[in-house]
Amino acid sequence: MQTSQRPQMSGSVHGLYNQPMQQVEQYYAPYHVFKNSSNNSRSSGTQFSFQAQNEQFFTLDSSPATDYVAYDSPPALSVSSNKIPFSPQCSQSYMTGNLCDSPFSGCSVVDDGDLRHVLRELENKLLGPESDTDDSSNYSFNDVVSNPSSLTRWNRVLNVAPTLNLKELLDACAEAVSDADISTAEVLMNVLEQRVSVSGEPMERLGAYVLEGLRARVLSSGSIIYKKLKCKEPTSSELMSYMQVISNMCPYYKFASMSANVVIREAMMNENRIHIIDFQIAQGSQWMFLFHDLARRLGGPPFVRITGVDDSQSAYARGGGLQLVGEMLAEVAESCGVPFEFHGAALSGCEVQLENLRVRKGEALAVNFPFMLHHMPDESVSTINHRDRLLRLVKSLSPKIVTLVEQESNTNTTPFLPRFRETLDYYTAMFESIDAAHPRDDKQRISAEEHCVARDVVNIIACEGADRVERHELLGKWRLRLMMAGFTPCPLSPSVGETIKDMLLEYSPNYRFAESEGALYLGWKNRALATSSAWR
């Protein structure tokens, strides 16, 4: 990137372009940080005032009575009634047929009236009050800057763009890219380079990675550049350290593991033989805590068998294969007095077949999907539709309980521009939450964001088709998929919510937790970032 007075990205993000690599795996790290949107009228996502059917959205501060319990951290707020959570902010959806029921506010499409108002202001800034646009209903930013009649107009763009809000500038650049107006996009990218910084404010840091995603899309529609993305590869121990930094700063991973553990423990309360299939076992640390809980069970602990599914990227992060996970878990289980057996299935979810899971009669089965299913291609990518195929396969095993934790974001089949806005909004909330925990110039934080988040952002923005592996869906869509596969929702007990509420006491009070229609929502301020639900 070009040099500027602001701390720049040349040592980190811009290095993404300049080194070759063999192949980027389907996802960078065995755990993922969530993607979503901020509280801005131009955003397109689920936000922390809860989202209702048909993607109408609501805020924690102005809420009609509802059938849910919402929590801050602390204290807890309880409201009950028969209506959908919270008051609507916008109701139009850019993804028809997608039921969205988050209890957090948001907007799944840019409000046309607000957008035209913003773009009208941009026109006035860029062209002056003498500009005349007759049809505001067809107005867009590119009407201002495309096909300039003279260098004077380009000079106006360059002179005015640095004064624009960074989020609006990113959005305008994305609109130019969407319209294939490459000349305009290049001008705006040059301005953006002077505005972003990996050690700046949350939007400046996010903007650094978003800019790389836009540039990758312009250069090659995403696929070629994304495959060449090369952050300087950390050693396995370094990558684990980066992931631990994110885990310590933010409660997202703990939300996933703790909610699933409570659900599984309660479902298996009277079972003597338990089989857990974990479809993204990573380091296996989640199950260490379950062993301690089971060891205290009246009548003694059950026999526990775990099948850990994981791919080669997680092996890289661990510094070894699944046998390391099995050995570690065996040691913990022995110390707790829990009879234990481990089976490793070193393959991706798309490769999993019935024989890989080694299901046995007489064992109560629990299946765990932690931030994993959104990597599975669906019918929009492949006729095989691995996403629904795997759900049907799991249902055929007659599990006693299935736990699902996913990012609450809408990026799967969404067209580029609304997907861009959704991503910008989601990650704004996520970067703000990281900012609250670590200083902005903290090198560990910078490295953690780069190695654990940057590739996800670039993949969502730059890539299409099979090359885009970050394909999130809202809980409403997951609910439809699971029910079509034959599952029914399993209401969560109050102890699950209490466990998460207690966990959040260790973090910023800006984290919010809510319960709606049997599912748990975790978010930052008014933006939902993750959901946890149970099925049988």
Side-chain angles (χ1 to χ4, degrees), residues 13 17 72 76 85 96 131 147 169 211 220 246 260 268 308-309 340 353 363 373-374 437 467 507 531 536:
V13 180
Y17 281 96
D72 290 350
T96 59
S131 63
N147 301 317
L169 190 59
L211 177 58
S220 65
I246 294 290
M268 301 297 181
V309 179
F340 175 70
Q353 301 294 333
E363 295 179 341
L373 276 178
H374 72 271
D467 291 305
Y507 295 90
T531 62
R536 59 165 61 98

Side-chain angles (χ1 to χ4, degrees), residues 301-312:
F303 169 82
V304 178
R305 186 163 65 93
I306 293 179
T307 294
V309 179
D310 226 3
D311 64 9
S312 59

Side-chain angles (χ1 to χ4, degrees), residues 142-150 153-154 180-181 183-184:
N142 290 304
D143 294 331
V144 177
V145 294
S146 61
N147 301 317
S149 58
S150 68
R153 178 170 290 188
W154 288 113
D181 186 352
S183 297
T184 297

Side-chain angles (χ1 to χ4, degrees), residues 143-198:
D143 294 331
V144 177
V145 294
S146 61
N147 301 317
S149 58
S150 68
L151 290 177
T152 302
R153 178 170 290 188
W154 288 113
N155 289 336
R156 286 176 177 171
V157 174
L158 290 171
N159 289 336
V160 176
T163 69
L164 301 179
N165 175 281
L166 179 56
K167 190 170 185 177
E168 292 178 354
L169 190 59
L170 288 165
D171 188 85
C173 186
E175 186 175 339
V177 171
S178 178
D179 290 347
D181 186 352
I182 305 306
S183 297
T184 297
E186 289 176 348
V187 171
L188 295 173
M189 286 179 187
N190 289 336
V191 175
L192 282 166
E193 288 211 18
Q194 312 307 314
R195 299 282 299 274
V196 299
S197 167
V198 294

Side-chain angles (χ1 to χ4, degrees), residues 83-116:
K83 297 183 181 179
I84 295 172
F86 304 155
S87 64
Q89 288 187 8
C90 75
S91 60
Q92 185 179 3
S93 169
Y94 61 70
M95 186 172 180
T96 59
N98 186 18
L99 298 180
C100 180
D101 54 1
S102 162
F104 300 87
S105 74
C107 176
S108 61
V109 70
V110 175
D111 184 278
D112 290 340
D114 289 346
L115 179 58
R116 286 197 297 271

Side-chain angles (χ1 to χ4, degrees), residues 31 256-265 268 274-295 304-309 325 328-330 332-333 336 338 340 342 366-370 401 403:
Y31 297 106
S257 61
M258 293 177 71
S259 61
N261 278 1
V262 175
V263 169
I264 293 172
R265 184 190 68 211
M268 301 297 181
I274 300 171
H275 180 196
I276 300 172
I277 300 175
D278 188 346
F279 273 94
Q280 189 164 276
I281 196 166
Q283 284 69 49
S285 56
Q286 172 176 347
W287 309 115
M288 297 166 52
F289 300 99
L290 182 63
F291 289 159
H292 286 282
D293 288 339
L294 293 176
V304 178
R305 186 163 65 93
I306 293 179
T307 294
V309 179
V325 178
M328 180 273 293
L329 290 177
V332 176
C336 296
V338 175
F340 175 70
F342 180 80
V367 177
N368 187 43
F369 288 117
I401 196 71
T403 54

Side-chain angles (χ1 to χ4, degrees), residues 40 58 94 130 138 140 146 189 193 195-196 228 255 260 292-293 332 380 400 419 446 471 519 523 534:
N40 182 305
F58 310 88
Y94 61 70
E130 73 279 5
N138 295 323
S140 78
S146 61
M189 286 179 187
E193 288 211 18
R195 299 282 299 274
V196 299
K228 292 182 178 178
F255 171 74
H292 286 282
D293 288 339
V332 176
S380 67
K400 186 163 188 179
R419 182 172 81 238
I446 294 172
R471 292 179 167 273

